[in-house]
Structure formats: C-alpha cells, structure tokens
Amino acid sequence: MLITIKKIIFIGFFILSTPSIAQKITTIKMPSGEDIELRIFPAKGNVLLLGFPCDFDKSKNEESVAKSLSEDGLEVWMPDILSTYMLPKVRSSYAKIKNEDLVRIVQKAIKTGKDIYLIASGAGTQLALRAAAKWHEKYQNSDGLKGLILLFPRLNSAEPIPGVKPKYVSAVGTTKKPIMILEGGRTPNKWGLKHLSMKLSAGGSKVISKVIPDIRGYFFKRKDPNRTEDMVTSELSGLIKVSLFYLQKGILE
C-alpha cells in the first residue's frame, strides 16, 4: 500500500491544531553522569514524539518539522545524545550509547503524562528499538509508551549479500510496542521490508510498513533532492501525523 501526498494531508486533518509555545532547551542528568541537552517543542496536545538520536545544529530540517508538529498540537523532544557522548553520527557510535541513559530519557518523557511515541531514522532506529525494549524491561506496569515510527530504518548488522537473508542488529525483535515503518520507493531496502517486518514482530510487536514512491533514504537531508523528495520534505510533518494515525487507530493490518 502506497502513501500519497493527498492521503498524508487528508488524514493529517484528524489531528486538531493548537497554539504552540516557543522552543525551550533543558538538560537531563543521565545515570552515566552525563548531562544531555534536550530541545523541547512544547504543545498542549496529549501526544509527545521523542526523537533519536538527534544532533544539535545538524538537524535543521528535523527542527523545522518539530516546530510544525508542535503548532499542530504534537509535542516534540529532541535529545542531543551524540554531542553529549562526543560521538560522530556514524553507525558504530550508536552501540556506545548506554541503555540506562536511553531508559532515563524515555521515562522523563513518560512523566509528562502524555502518550509517548519514539521516532528515528536510518541507523539511529536501533536506538529507538533499544530504548523501547529496555524501558519496558524496567517499567513493565507502565503503558505510557505507545509505539515507534521508523523512517527508512537501516538495521542490518553487516553489508547485505545478494541472495542471502539479511542479519540484523540485536535490537530487532526485542520490543512488543507497535511499529510503523516508512521506506523510500527508490531504495533497495524496500524489497526486504517483508522480512524486516517479520523479524521486528518476533518480540510481539504489530508492524506495518509503507513505501513512499520515488523517494530515497535520508531524502530530507539530501543536497540533490528530486521534485517528489522536495514535496515530501515539505509535507514531512503530515507524513509523521499519518503514521501516528495508523498507530493510534490500530490500523496495523
């Protein structure tokens, strides 16, 4: 099933707009002893999107989307994890981020009393999966964490080999929370969506995957976007809202 711009805009109308409050910056003290800087785009709605991993001053498009979402009543948190650990934004960095720090961030969001959804893209999606799994291990009686949105996830543990089923990082299949996957129609990864969805559901998650036509991975970060990528980037907040609609309504078939 393909998502079109019309569907994004139409379903986005189901979320009522509320006035936004100016962005604010605070810190969270981590069990590791680090202080993680947290950018908050407040909103009066009952949904909070927690992004991973985020990197200050290097995520301008994400900040623009966060502002747009907050104006539509969806609060957004962007913890600056990589800078805190002084790590480059490469795949190998994510394994160095401690589970207890991820759990602390999620629990901080849970304490707002809002419905929490984790969102991440690319290789950073493994952090969202780890955070969900480790948080649930510690807080089994809490239901504040509602689901995950994974944008073009890159979860292979090694370079894929043609004709061989891929192997994934250990975080895959470790959470029971519902998962929405969005993948680009111009990526080879779209052919492995069924297999990835099956592996993600091994832990008990309900998983739905959607392909966005004519889009490459990391489309909103590219310096050479095509016309469709430009259009979808401008409607990225709507794309996220439609993902929330699927998760909230339980449309996972």
Side-chain angles (χ1 to χ4, degrees), residues 40-87:
I40 297 177
F41 297 80
K44 294 182 179 180
N46 67 343
V47 172
L48 190 158
L49 280 163
L50 177 54
F52 287 102
C54 302
D55 49 345
F56 189 61
D57 279 341
K58 296 180 181 178
S59 51
K60 295 300 183 183
N61 284 332
E62 291 96 321
E63 289 182 41
S64 176
V65 171
K67 183 176 183 297
S68 176
L69 289 169
S70 73
E71 290 170 351
D72 285 338
L74 303 172
E75 186 158 329
V76 181
W77 285 17
M78 298 176 69
D80 190 12
I81 300 176
L82 293 177
S83 295
T84 298
Y85 282 88
M86 293 185 289
L87 295 170

Side-chain angles (χ1 to χ4, degrees), residues 186-247:
R186 291 182 60 191
T187 70
N189 299 74
K190 70 175 182 179
W191 304 111
L193 273 181
K194 184 176 181 179
H195 186 261
L196 175 59
S197 298
M198 179 185 69
K199 291 296 184 181
L200 285 168
S201 66
S205 293
K206 292 184 178 180
V207 181
I208 186 170
S209 61
K210 301 292 182 184
V211 174
I212 312 171
D214 202 28
I215 294 297
R216 294 169 290 177
Y218 299 95
F219 63 92
F220 55 86
K221 294 178 178 288
R222 291 186 176 272
K223 296 180 180 179
D224 61 339
N226 61 38
R227 184 176 180 181
T228 304
E229 288 168 343
D230 267 337
M231 184 182 299
V232 176
T233 297
S234 69
E235 295 292 345
L236 187 52
S237 62
L239 184 60
I240 292 170
K241 285 188 286 185
V242 79
S243 299
L244 284 171
F245 177 80
Y246 276 101
L247 291 170

